[in-house]
Amino acid sequence: MFTPRPRFGTQTPPAIFPPVLGALGLGLAWRRAVDPFGVPGAAGDLILGAVTLLFLFMVVAYALKFGRRPGVLAEDLRVLPGRAGLSASVLSVYLLSAALVPLAPVLAEALLWAGLGLHLALLAVLIRGLATGPAEQRRVTPVWHLHFVGFIVACLPAVPLGHAGLATVLLYGTTAMALAIWAASLVQARRLSVPAPLRPLLAIHLAPACLIGTVAASLGLMPLALAAAALAVLLLVLMLAGARWILAAGVSPLWGAFTFPMAAFASLMLVLAGTAEPLGDLFRIAGGVSLVAATLAIPPILLWVMQAWAKGKLGAQTNAARV
């Protein structure tokens, strides 16, 4: 019997967004490589332009799904890949704003405030779902950084757009939230084991330290920037030491969680290469190595996720809601 093909956007999985967030971060990292390495600015712009088009296509795909049945948003937020993906989609708006600051500051300003509005709206729906859902959903996970600490990404466009006060408030508020999540995660790790399929999400713990350091440096708060950099290096070393354990489940859609922390770490090292003397040369080397590593890793992960989506497998693999 003939089975009609589902309409486009019927089960658009939120898991498509994390690797795009990482790819946008990679483009911004290549922009930061202009001063320490003399890389042509066009390299970052080309990455950002291509990924922006892909991100807009994804937004349209998810908007079609949401428009057909708005309830799918709450359903996607019930599962961990959905919560991570939808939060990553909002954080991508902030990075798109940051990418547009030197090219179209008025549009960048509009995207910054639109991102903050979308973030607050998503957070309201998420908190309502956590409060009314099963207790298991309220367990602290690395994805909480995306929900509650993710506001710090708004500082990346806010500082160059002249909103230093807003960036300072967001920096200190999200730093306190990140510390609370790290502490809760440490306590939880002592009594609960992490299932192998969910271990890639542990990489998200690296991203807040990198962003705190980057934003602090942009605001001239170098002691905080260096402290965050030291924590970021420590977390990266621990993750590299436990790489075999983290990767035990093999390739999965959750590998998207590796992408944006890698890009954020490269950006932090490149920012400090020009501002943290006399350690500038050390940060420059670390920035170059981490940028190359991110460039080699992020595109293949993005391609793998896109292929899984195109083949219709990603929705089922991540339990995405269907219209």
Side-chain angles (χ1 to χ4, degrees):
M1 183 177 177
F2 174 75
T3 303
R5 294 186 63 182
R7 293 176 297 172
F8 177 71
T10 299
Q11 197 183 13
T12 304
I16 58 178
F17 291 108
V20 167
L21 176 65
L24 287 170
L26 179 63
L28 292 175
W30 273 98
R31 271 191 183 172
R32 297 188 189 279
V34 171
D35 289 335
F37 294 108
V39 175
D45 291 342
L46 285 172
I47 296 172
L48 290 168
V51 179
T52 295
L53 292 175
L54 179 59
F55 173 62
L56 293 176
F57 175 73
M58 292 176 173
V59 169
V60 170
Y62 195 84
L64 287 173
K65 173 179 166 178
F66 177 79
R68 289 167 183 156
R69 187 166 65 84
V72 296
L73 179 66
E75 292 176 17
D76 277 330
L77 287 172
R78 291 174 189 166
V79 296
L80 201 54
R83 294 196 291 274
L86 289 171
S87 292
S89 70
V90 172
L91 302 189
S92 296
V93 177
Y94 296 141
L95 291 190
L96 184 56
S97 173
L100 289 172
V101 168
L103 304 174
V106 174
L107 180 55
E109 180 92 20
L111 284 172
L112 168 61
W113 295 108
L116 286 169
L118 288 169
H119 198 161
L120 289 170
L122 180 65
L123 197 57
V125 178
L126 173 68
I127 291 174
R128 182 170 180 266
L130 292 176
T132 58
E136 292 77 14
Q137 289 186 359
R138 293 189 287 275
R139 183 179 300 164
V140 176
T141 72
V143 176
W144 279 38
H145 286 299
L146 302 181
H147 309 324
F148 302 107
V149 187
F151 287 100
I152 196 172
V153 184
C155 299
L156 299 180
V159 173
L161 287 172
H163 302 298
L166 172 65
T168 302
V169 171
L170 289 176
L171 171 63
Y172 286 119
T174 54
T175 297
M177 185 61 69
L179 290 171
I181 294 173
W182 282 323
S185 298
L186 276 175
V187 172
Q188 204 167 255
R190 298 181 63 180
R191 56 187 178 83
L192 294 173
S193 60
V194 181
L198 299 182
R199 290 174 193 167
L201 295 176
L202 294 172
I204 298 175
H205 282 304
L206 175 62
C210 299
L211 288 162
I212 290 168
T214 299
V215 174
S218 71
L219 292 170
L221 305 172
M222 292 311 298
L224 178 57
L226 291 173
L231 177 59
V233 170
L234 174 61
L235 289 172
L236 180 61
V237 169
L238 291 174
M239 290 174 187
L240 290 175
R244 178 176 293 184
W245 178 77
I246 292 173
L247 301 174
V251 181
S252 79
L254 295 186
W255 276 32
F258 294 133
T259 61
F260 47 91
M262 293 180 69
F265 185 84
S267 281
L268 173 60
M269 295 296 106
L270 292 169
V271 166
L272 293 178
T275 58
E277 297 297 341
L279 299 174
D281 288 341
L282 184 61
F283 284 122
R284 183 173 179 270
I285 294 170
V289 172
S290 56
L291 180 61
V292 170
T295 304
L296 292 174
I298 293 174
I301 294 174
L302 175 60
L303 179 61
W304 187 91
V305 171
M306 293 302 99
Q307 288 177 335
W309 181 29
K311 294 176 181 178
K313 298 178 180 179
L314 192 61
Q317 289 174 340
T318 57
N319 294 317
R322 183 185 294 274
V323 175

